[in-house]
Amino acid sequence: MAHDSEKKQRLHLVFGGELTTLTDVHFRDLDKLDIVGIFPDYESAHIAWKSKAQMTVDNAHMRYFIVHMHRLLDPEND
């Protein structure tokens, strides 16, 4: 049981991959998706996302995303 003083866990997934075009989110190869990780809050997910995005800046088709898993797991309590 979580204590009231603990920060509420709001899970975020960071992942990326190479897209087939610059205008659509359709991955070239699902087997090559880069699953960066699951993070306990948006701030840490954003740091990981930014780092990966900056490492792949030379490949315009490579994109990274942040998925708000907490919204999927509990849509009533955003």
Side-chain angles (χ1 to χ4, degrees), residues 5-54:
S5 62
E6 289 182 24
K7 186 176 176 182
K8 184 173 179 177
Q9 197 174 59
R10 299 180 74 146
L11 299 178
H12 292 78
L13 166 68
V14 177
F15 79 101
E18 194 167 11
L19 303 178
T20 56
T21 70
L22 297 178
T23 58
D24 194 18
V25 181
H26 186 268
F27 295 99
R28 188 175 308 272
D29 186 349
L30 293 177
D31 290 331
K32 293 183 179 177
L33 285 181
D34 181 12
I35 309 298
V36 178
I38 298 174
F39 300 87
D41 53 48
Y42 180 81
E43 293 78 19
S44 58
H46 187 264
I47 291 168
W49 168 84
K50 187 174 180 179
S51 173
K52 284 294 198 169
Q54 287 176 340

